[in-house]
Amino acid sequence: MARRCFAIVAAICVAAGLPPPSVASAAPAVGLPAAVAQPLTRARIPADALSVVVADVTAAGRVHLAHRADVPMNPASVMKLVTTVAALDVLGPAYTWRTAVYADGPVRDGVLAGSLYLRGDGDPKLVTERLWLLLRRVQALGIRHVAGDIVLDRSAFDLPPHDPGAFDGEPLRPYNAAPDALLVNFRAQVFTFVPDPVAGVARIGMEPPLAEVTVPQTVPLADGPCDDWRAALQADWSDARAPRFRGRYPASCGERVWPAAHPDPARHAARAVAGVWAALGGTLAGQVRDGTVPPGLAPRFVFESPPLIEVVRDVNKFSNNVMAQQLLLTLARAAGGSAPPGAQGPAPQPGGRPPAATFDAARAVVQAWWRERLGPDVPAPVIDNGAGLSREARVTAAALARLLQWVWASPWMPELMASLPAAGIDGTLRRSPMGAGVAHLKTGSLADVQALAGYVHGPRGQRRVLVAIVNHPNARAARPALDALVQWAAQLP
């Protein structure tokens, strides 16, 4: 509907000899509001480091502010808007991923006389509890002992080698995890610390249980405030199979959770599958290894993921990078041989299976989708991995504003709106000072990037799109200016 209305307005303008409207040209750019310019000055950030659009939610509506709207900027995690909107439109909010389970031998007296195969489909949410459910369903087939191997088929994605420390030198941060066709628990191990004052220790737990990995059961308690409690633990990750905590845990912290990427990411899925299988009482004669399902083998059952809308919510509310990458790659896999015009992907695999997804094919699908939905006059974003964890990704504020206007008139507006962090309420804006419920905005943050994009709610039911991107070494100091911009947009008459 938004596209049709915009086309009608454009046709009227052309007939009158006027240029068609756009986010950048529908109104002349005006100076930044003083409430925004002043905190920028205090942060020593020049006005030309900021790109802004504030406009009505309809494409033919009013542009209230356009400042450097057509300049390509690094949007950081705001790029997830492009990935999630494309996924909602191409795949549909009810789309699910299907992890197929195979066995190549008979089952007698609880023994599988052969190997068990788990073929990944790119499920972004195969977390510990869902892996537990999957393997419980295996046991419901009567399998307690696997005489062969447990084989992990990850051939749905064709990915280049990944160095988790290449982006910022933080290989153990979960946000640096790489995608995987059989992604288990985001490739993370989650440690819990529960104080036991009587024993003078904090008790340590780890999920998922990882085969071959031993973790200390306790760490001594310490007095004092709960400041940098992670540093106080003095964690030693040098041995992926034996993490150690050589310091103390402040008792004042109460119960805390520490998610960390597994230091040996290539082995994480195998160790998690082996660990959960053993925790369920299952036994294995062989090993958990990578491989592929033999041709012609029919699945014993298919384990479905939560629906895409739940994944989109996690991606946007909590800015989950690896889930966003899984979504992007799924677009290429789902397109298969029926990709939109201009999207070129690899050939289907033997047996009619969809082609293995690559980032190149996924980017082509999104570019073609963008041209189809937004038209050739709205410059398409430069997408890297779909998560915004990139130095190369680029998009203009005007293009993002048009995307938000298109979504507003689409069937997917309620799903996208519900997935965005609500200011002062949840997600990455839970502690925002800009006012509870004043906006639903995707946030973006890198060392030199601060960004917001989404919808601002006026006091009398007005709805406006807002896009603001700062690219500058002092970008972190721009948060007060961006908060002030949201307040200004919300109070517009």
Side-chain angles (χ1 to χ4, degrees):
M1 178 63 72
R3 188 178 178 190
R4 186 183 308 140
C5 293
F6 186 84
I8 293 171
V9 174
I12 293 172
C13 291
V14 170
L18 300 172
S22 70
V23 165
S25 65
V30 298
L32 292 174
V36 178
Q38 290 170 2
L40 275 182
T41 300
R42 288 194 294 269
R44 299 182 180 180
I45 298 173
D48 63 4
L50 171 67
S51 289
V52 173
V53 170
V54 177
D56 291 342
V57 290
T58 58
R62 181 181 176 189
V63 177
H64 302 274
L65 176 62
H67 173 73
R68 300 180 75 248
D70 292 319
V71 178
M73 303 283 280
N74 185 335
S77 284
V78 166
M79 185 63 82
K80 292 181 175 73
L81 284 173
V82 176
T83 304
T84 54
V85 170
L88 283 169
D89 194 42
V90 173
L91 304 173
Y95 178 90
T96 57
W97 290 261
R98 297 161 62 86
T99 302
V101 178
Y102 302 78
D104 64 3
V107 178
R108 296 189 183 91
D109 299 324
V111 177
L112 168 61
S115 292
L116 185 73
Y117 298 82
L118 309 181
R119 186 163 73 190
D121 188 37
D123 184 351
K125 206 165 181 179
L126 191 59
V127 291
T128 301
E129 54 268 34
R130 291 191 57 78
L131 177 62
W132 186 91
L133 288 171
L134 185 154
L135 293 177
R136 280 290 292 163
R137 284 194 60 184
V138 169
Q139 293 188 338
L141 298 175
I143 300 173
R144 294 292 185 274
H145 175 76
V146 178
D149 297 329
I150 298 180
V151 181
L152 310 183
D153 187 337
R154 302 151 95 164
S155 60
F157 291 171
D158 181 9
L159 303 175
H162 175 75
D163 176 3
F167 183 74
D168 59 2
E170 296 282 357
L172 298 182
R173 295 296 183 101
Y175 62 73
N176 277 322
D180 194 320
L182 195 64
L183 181 74
V184 175
N185 209 53
F186 315 127
R187 281 189 164 177
Q189 48 192 355
V190 181
F191 298 93
T192 57
F193 299 87
V194 181
D196 183 346
V198 174
V201 298
R203 304 200 179 276
I204 303 172
M206 184 184 71
E207 293 292 341
L210 300 177
E212 306 172 356
V213 176
T214 58
V215 178
Q217 294 183 346
T218 62
V219 62
L221 288 177
D223 296 327
C226 183
D227 294 327
D228 193 352
W229 60 273
R230 295 183 182 183
L233 284 167
Q234 298 180 28
D236 179 0
W237 310 103
S238 57
D239 186 347
R241 295 177 298 179
R244 293 290 178 263
F245 302 100
R246 304 187 185 281
R248 292 176 174 268
Y249 181 78
S252 59
C253 289
E255 183 175 343
R256 293 290 178 113
V257 175
W258 186 355
H262 188 50
D264 185 6
R267 290 286 300 156
H268 178 263
R271 285 174 173 152
V273 169
V276 174
W277 179 247
L280 288 170
T283 55
L284 174 66
Q287 59 182 324
V288 181
R289 61 176 176 84
D290 289 341
T292 56
V293 176
L297 201 61
R300 297 294 180 96
F301 68 88
V302 173
F303 188 76
E304 290 199 0
S305 73
L308 180 136
I309 184 55
E310 185 175 324
V311 171
V312 166
R313 182 183 183 278
D314 287 349
V315 168
N316 285 335
K317 288 280 188 189
F318 307 106
S319 210
N320 190 300
N321 288 325
V322 72
M323 292 179 84
Q325 295 181 64
Q326 299 281 118
L327 269 186
L328 181 67
L329 290 161
T330 298
L331 287 170
R333 185 161 171 78
S338 58
Q344 198 69 30
Q349 296 179 351
R353 289 177 55 198
T358 66
F359 276 121
D360 284 342
R363 287 187 283 263
V365 169
V366 175
Q367 295 286 329
W369 169 84
W370 183 281
R371 289 192 298 270
E372 172 71 19
R373 291 305 196 191
L374 299 177
D377 295 333
V378 181
V382 176
I383 300 170
D384 185 352
N385 52 33
L389 190 71
S390 168
R391 302 297 180 191
E392 289 73 40
R394 293 291 184 273
V395 69
T396 68
L400 279 177
R402 279 293 295 120
L403 176 68
L404 290 166
Q405 289 173 332
W406 179 85
V407 175
W408 183 263
S410 80
W412 320 125
M413 182 276 287
E415 282 79 8
L416 182 75
M417 179 78 83
S419 79
L420 298 179
I425 296 175
D426 65 8
T428 56
L429 287 178
R430 183 167 59 91
R431 295 187 176 92
S432 169
M434 63 181 68
V438 73
H440 282 76
L441 298 165
K442 181 71 195 77
T443 60
S445 179
L446 291 174
D448 52 3
V449 180
Q450 285 292 313
L452 292 172
Y455 302 98
V456 178
H457 314 302
R460 290 181 298 279
Q462 308 98 319
R463 297 291 184 268
R464 300 185 177 96
V465 299
L466 179 147
V467 180
I469 306 173
V470 177
N471 285 184
H472 191 269
N474 293 343
R476 290 188 187 278
R479 291 176 183 174
L482 298 186
D483 291 346
L485 177 66
V486 174
Q487 294 285 0
W488 177 86
Q491 295 165 8
L492 283 170

